Amino acid sequence: MDNPHWQELLTTHTQKLLHISFLYVKDWHAAEDIVQDVFVKYFETYEQFRHESSVTTYLTRMTINRSKDYLKSFRYRTQQLTTYFTQSITTKDSLIINEEQNEIADAILALPLKYREPVILYFYEELTFHEIAVLLHLPESTVHYRFTQAKLKLREQIPEKEWGLLNHE
Amino acid sequence: MNNIREKLQQKMGDTSKQEQRVQVRVKKRLAKKKWLNFKWVGSVASLAACLLIIFFILPDHKPQQQGAVEIGGVMFDEKTGHEKAISDLLYDEVLASLNVTKEEKLFYTPARYTDYTYVTTHCQTTNCRILALRDNAKTGSIYNLGSGTIKIEALSPDKKMVALVLRTKKQDTLRFMYTNDITDHPEIPEYFPQIKKVKWLSNAKIQLTLNSGKKEIITIPRYYK
């Protein structure tokens, strides 16, 4: 890689993009592939980048779009089926692991994508509703509605003692 | 950092290995693409170089490959100005036949029915010398036609002979050339007033129509059939 700017971009953005992608697709292998593709695509079309938004916003949007594409893909569906059929074998292990992990993160990751998305972007990326709306090309009211719905769903799952975390707004 | 972010980060754990893997793979893929692009550009460049050699360099070297023929001089197409070489073998003889020096510019007109070329100069006198030249680099022949300009070319019925009308200011003369390699050209040592038309009556007879309207039949001694 000859361009020092590219090296800097890779160093500063890989972690962030990888985390976002994982929070969408819930699979590290898929997240790695998605982020790789995002970087390669960006470096290939670097000269055509119109600087209408910042590089960070552009890369984030590309990562989100590709993650959503993955969730619609045949590869994801096949993986879901495999997981479904092998679940019975690993139930015991999963239970042990779940005990070790935090319930609130599991609950967020268990949300359907359209509710999970605003929660991730709001809490994890710490974006405002307006910024989320711009990033996802959605009306701000839609983002707000989905976020509220997500919170309601989470309250059904999260123990009472942790509810306070959701009132971070 | 808000608590939910913290919880999500805890859930994801240490991701430095994944990050490293992504960075290495991105670099590899970019390097591979660069190499592929280089290979592609290289292939195109090689192809272009081959085409250049085929179309421009090889034709220039062809005569040399066939026997390292040296070029004695050049002549120019009377109409197009296109340049054509005269082999060293024949060049001096051409100059001598036309009675000119190397400084004189030579002009040519391709013969209509044979592979000869009529070579002459733009001399200042009324009638410049003219010759028929067949230059095959290694071999060739020169046929001195005399002085004047060629006005008519007519092919015999058997397509083996061409009758030429050579015009000077005062009169016309007839010249005959075989279309094959025979150089023993028949001669008609006769002068005519301006000839309007030449018509082959047989392989050995031609009918001349003069400008005056008078017609003459000429029998040609055919040395070869």
Side-chain angles (χ1 to χ4, degrees), chain B residues 2-225:
Chain B
N2 68 66
N3 289 326
I4 288 183
R5 190 169 203 269
E6 202 177 334
K7 295 273 181 192
L8 286 169
Q9 274 201 338
Q10 274 174 17
K11 171 83 182 170
M12 286 188 281
D14 179 25
T15 57
S16 53
K17 277 185 186 172
Q18 283 98 325
E19 287 162 36
Q20 212 175 356
R21 250 196 321 260
V22 167
Q23 289 180 8
V24 169
R25 283 185 199 163
V26 168
K27 284 174 190 173
K28 271 187 186 171
R29 277 177 65 178
L30 287 173
K32 196 177 172 185
K33 275 189 187 278
K34 199 175 168 185
W35 170 239
L36 282 174
N37 286 345
F38 175 75
K39 268 169 72 175
W40 185 81
V41 170
S43 307
V44 172
S46 310
L47 185 69
C50 288
L51 289 173
L52 275 174
I53 290 167
I54 290 165
F55 289 111
F56 294 102
I57 300 169
L58 282 183
D60 292 343
H61 284 273
K62 211 173 176 181
Q64 287 188 0
Q65 284 170 354
Q66 285 176 344
V69 174
E70 285 181 24
I71 294 165
V74 289
M75 53 187 175
F76 302 89
D77 190 303
E78 198 83 62
K79 287 178 183 169
T80 63
H82 180 258
E83 204 172 297
K84 192 175 177 183
I86 305 173
S87 63
D88 193 42
L89 185 78
L90 296 165
Y91 187 56
D92 287 341
E93 203 181 334
V94 168
L95 293 179
S97 300
L98 295 172
N99 195 25
V100 290
T101 58
K102 284 184 178 179
E103 284 72 37
E104 195 83 35
K105 212 172 175 182
L106 304 179
F107 296 91
Y108 74 92
T109 308
R112 193 172 169 190
Y113 300 112
T114 63
D115 56 353
Y116 276 92
T117 303
Y118 306 123
V119 186
T120 186
T121 56
H122 286 177
C123 64
Q124 299 304 314
T125 58
T126 321
N127 302 306
C128 301
R129 289 194 183 190
I130 186 166
L131 56 84
L133 170 72
R134 179 190 271 155
D135 189 357
N136 294 330
K138 271 187 168 180
T139 59
S141 57
I142 292 172
Y143 176 28
N144 278 308
L145 297 168
S147 297
T149 49
I150 289 166
K151 288 294 172 188
I152 299 171
E153 288 174 273
L155 186 66
S156 66
D158 64 358
K159 295 181 173 36
K160 286 183 180 174
M161 188 173 277
V162 178
L164 306 172
V165 173
L166 190 68
R167 182 163 297 162
T168 62
K169 202 173 182 181
K170 290 179 184 173
Q171 68 258 319
D172 286 359
T173 47
L174 286 174
R175 297 284 183 268
F176 296 94
M177 291 170 70
Y178 284 98
T179 53
N180 50 28
D181 289 335
I182 300 165
T183 53
D184 198 0
H185 311 289
E187 285 181 9
I188 307 286
E190 206 175 326
Y191 296 102
F192 303 91
Q194 275 201 351
I195 297 167
K196 191 179 176 184
K197 194 178 168 187
V198 174
K199 186 184 176 186
W200 285 86
L201 299 174
S202 69
N203 289 328
K205 275 186 184 176
I206 55 167
Q207 185 188 60
L208 305 176
T209 308
L210 305 178
N211 263 1
S212 59
K214 192 183 166 189
K215 291 184 178 178
E216 274 189 47
I217 293 176
I218 310 285
T219 305
I220 308 147
R222 297 282 294 247
Y223 304 121
Y224 305 95
K225 288 186 180 176

Side-chain angles (χ1 to χ4, degrees), chain A residues 1-2 7 10-11 14-15 18-19 22 28 32-33 35-37 39-40 43-44 101-102 104-106 108-109 123-124 126 162 165-166 168, chain B residues 1-31 33-34 37:
Chain A
M1 186 176 295
D2 305 329
Q7 180 59 53
L10 257 186
T11 314
T14 307
Q15 188 192 53
L18 203 54
H19 286 183
F22 175 79
W28 282 116
E32 281 177 33
D33 289 348
V35 177
Q36 264 182 64
D37 286 347
F39 276 120
V40 171
F43 293 144
E44 276 177 356
Q101 288 173 343
N102 61 70
I104 195 156
D106 289 338
I108 291 170
L109 288 176
F123 285 114
Y124 192 79
E126 297 183 325
E162 303 222 40
L165 294 176
L166 294 172
H168 181 75
Chain B
M1 188 190 290
N2 68 66
N3 289 326
I4 288 183
R5 190 169 203 269
E6 202 177 334
K7 295 273 181 192
L8 286 169
Q9 274 201 338
Q10 274 174 17
K11 171 83 182 170
M12 286 188 281
D14 179 25
T15 57
S16 53
K17 277 185 186 172
Q18 283 98 325
E19 287 162 36
Q20 212 175 356
R21 250 196 321 260
V22 167
Q23 289 180 8
V24 169
R25 283 185 199 163
V26 168
K27 284 174 190 173
K28 271 187 186 171
R29 277 177 65 178
L30 287 173
K33 275 189 187 278
K34 199 175 168 185
N37 286 345

